[in-house]
């Protein structure tokens, strides 16, 4: 039997998924690690913790597979969270932890770049909106506030590039992840001269861009011993988690949108060429040089639901633990008792600033319309609706750029919730299809590996393997409530922007005391 391993490098965990030669899941292993938020707006990871998570995941999955002597792992392929940055000195010693996409300490320098007009020029060549998430902004922050690190830095990598460097001694970055740095010209597929000039770095400090189909062999002996994988095993670079999510749910044809909500979220469609939004609201990232993913990411997805669980539903957490059930299931049961629209309670889910569609790292969350009738049940339903309204607002911007969305494929943790699936169908007024296979990112990484090794001719082979799908039809009885509330949600998000910077600065000032 010939197997492949798809690895999903996430923000708070690394997951390894073993697939057989029919691309069916054999087993999965997940290894969690903390996201460090020691200071306001910080969101960092520890390099060793992530490396150890990868080693442990690969070791456990090989152990649990109980391979026969003639079985082989044909490849390991990667899906990776985007926008991370690590600085190294000339001897490849790390000068920082992993500065993740969720880190917004570069907000001041981002706003300055946006106001200068240079930001718009760079966006139109790189396809990455000007936002603190991007390594472009993080470099400006390091230069201004950590000049000791900036001046010593000889190399900059993201988390996947660091793992490959440690395993194989390489210095490469796939063009999918490169296209999310804000430093990469998506039209000539090379590092952008203007972006480099703005940040003050040069090409020699950045990895060599490669296709997602490139792979490495010759893993160091100490790591073959840990993982149980032969040194000859190809490790395929793969791509960013967002582009691979589209592939993994077979949302690669024109007009087919993929919605993913995990810790964060996004809505994306695929084009055969880069497409730039004149208003700067959407990103354009590569899947490969022939497939471009246009969409909008949101900071606030499942993490907001977790915030609601941790701060409003302590009793349910305890009850779920005693019953051996999921607290989220109890919460959605409670929310389902409330009618669509939460009886006029609106929640803006901007607990961690926001990317699309408002691109404001100072954005903050709020309940609007709260009155004596509202209970915790209303609040949790409003939280779910608020996350969904926000994705819907992104979809309106996306349609201006790429045209009408004809269907929606859904994936991510939220797709396990029937209430949330129905909510998406009702708010979007479109059927929402949820593929049976939840490991879509890892499956897509394996499809990339199969193309890299010449086992398939094109990525559209994915259609054979996404499995059966469940489709949720919109319920007309909920249209009226959502049609009335959606415009209020959108208008409020714009009106509140006038005060986001003021309240964010107040919070930063008092959080530091």
């Amino acid at each position: 039997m010939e197997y492949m391993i798809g690895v999903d490098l996430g923000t708070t965990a690394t997951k390894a998924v073993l697939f057989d030669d029919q691309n069916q899941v054999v087993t999965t292993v997940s290894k969690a690690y903390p996201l460090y938020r020691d200071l306001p707006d910080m969101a960092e990871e520890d390099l060793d913790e992530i490396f150890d998570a990868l080693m442990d995941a690969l070791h456990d999955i090989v152990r649990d597979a109980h391979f026969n002597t003639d079985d082989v792992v044909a490849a390991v392929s990667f899906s990776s969270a985007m926008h991370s940055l690590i600085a190294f000195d000339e001897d490849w010693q790390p000068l920082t932890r992993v500065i993740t996409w969720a880190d917004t300490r570069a907000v001041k320098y981002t706003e300055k770049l946006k106001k200068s007009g240079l930001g718009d020029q760079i966006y139109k060549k790189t396809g990455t909106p000007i936002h603190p998430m991007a390594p472009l902004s993080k470099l400006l922050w390091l230069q201004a506030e950590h000049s000791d690190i900036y001046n010593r830095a000889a190399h900059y990598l993201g988390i996947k590039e660091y793992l490959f460097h440690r395993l194989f001694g390489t210095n490469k970055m796939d063009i999918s992840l490169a296209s999310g740095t804000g430093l990469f010209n998506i039209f000539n597929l090379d590092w952008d001269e203007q972006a480099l000039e703005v940040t003050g770095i040069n090409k020699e400090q950045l990895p060599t861009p490669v296709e997602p189909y490139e792979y490495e062999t010759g893993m160091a002996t100490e790591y073959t011993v840990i993982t149980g994988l032969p040194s000859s095993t190809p490790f395929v670079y793969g791509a960013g988690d967002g582009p691979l999510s589209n592939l993994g749910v077979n949302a690669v044809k024109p007009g087919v949108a993929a919605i993913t909500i995990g810790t964060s979220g996004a809505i994306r469609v695929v084009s055969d060429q880069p497409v730039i939004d004149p208003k700067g609201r959407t990103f354009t990232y590569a899947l490969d040089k022939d497939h471009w993913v246009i969409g909008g990411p949101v900071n606030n997805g499942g993490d907001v639901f977790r915030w609601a669980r941790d701060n409003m539903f302590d009793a349910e957490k305890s009850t779920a633990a005693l019953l051996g059930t999921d607290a989220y299931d109890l919460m959605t049961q409670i929310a389902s008792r409330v009618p669509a629209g939460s009886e006029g309670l609106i929640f803006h889910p901007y607990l961690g600033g926001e990317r699309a569609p408002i691109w404001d790292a100072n954005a903050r969350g709020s309940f609007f319309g709260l009155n004596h009738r509202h209970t915790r049940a209303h609040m949790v339903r409003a939280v779910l609706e608020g996350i969904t309204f926000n994705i819907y607002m992104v979809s309106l911007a996306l349609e201006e750029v790429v045209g009408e969305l004809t269907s929606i494929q859904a994936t991510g943790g939220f797709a396990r919730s029937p209430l949330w699936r129905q909510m998406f169908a009702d708010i979007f007024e479109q059927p929402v299809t949820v593929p049976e296979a939840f490991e879509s990112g890892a499956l897509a990484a394996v499809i990339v590996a199969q193309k890299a090794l010449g086992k398939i001719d094109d990525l559209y082979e994915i259609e054979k393997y996404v499995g059966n799908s469940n489709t949720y039809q919109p319920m007309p009885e909920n249209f009226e409530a959502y049609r009335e509330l959606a415009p209020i949600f959108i208008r409020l998000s714009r009106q509140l922007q006038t005060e986001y910077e003021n309240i964010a600065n107040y919070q930063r000032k008092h959080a530091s005391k």
Side-chain angles (χ1 to χ4, degrees), residues 339-390:
S342 302
E343 296 192 280
L345 182 61
I346 293 174
F347 179 71
H348 283 86
Y350 307 139
L351 302 187
E354 191 50 284
R355 291 182 286 175
I358 62 176
W359 295 102
D360 189 342
N362 290 316
R364 295 295 183 263
S366 59
F367 283 101
F368 179 82
L370 195 64
N371 65 34
H372 290 293
R373 288 180 54 82
H374 292 127
T375 64
R376 286 188 315 152
H378 292 86
M379 295 175 81
V380 71
R381 184 174 184 113
V383 165
L384 297 175
E385 290 175 339
I387 297 168
T388 311
F389 276 135
N390 198 46

Side-chain angles (χ1 to χ4, degrees), residues 42 148 180 230 251 293 445 490:
M42 172 192 282
D148 54 331
V293 177
I490 293 169

Side-chain angles (χ1 to χ4, degrees), residues 387-439:
I387 297 168
T388 311
F389 276 135
N390 198 46
I391 295 280
Y392 174 69
M393 190 161 63
V394 180
S395 77
L396 297 179
L398 186 58
E399 287 190 321
E400 289 183 34
V401 179
V402 300
E404 183 181 1
L405 305 182
T406 57
S407 62
I408 295 171
Q409 301 279 88
T411 186
F414 93 97
R416 300 174 189 269
S417 164
L419 174 65
W420 218 340
R421 298 173 196 171
Q422 189 62 55
M423 200 174 284
F424 266 89
D426 294 343
I427 288 176
F428 278 74
E429 296 189 25
Q430 284 192 13
V432 172
T433 299
V434 182
E436 187 179 74
F438 286 109
E439 307 297 353

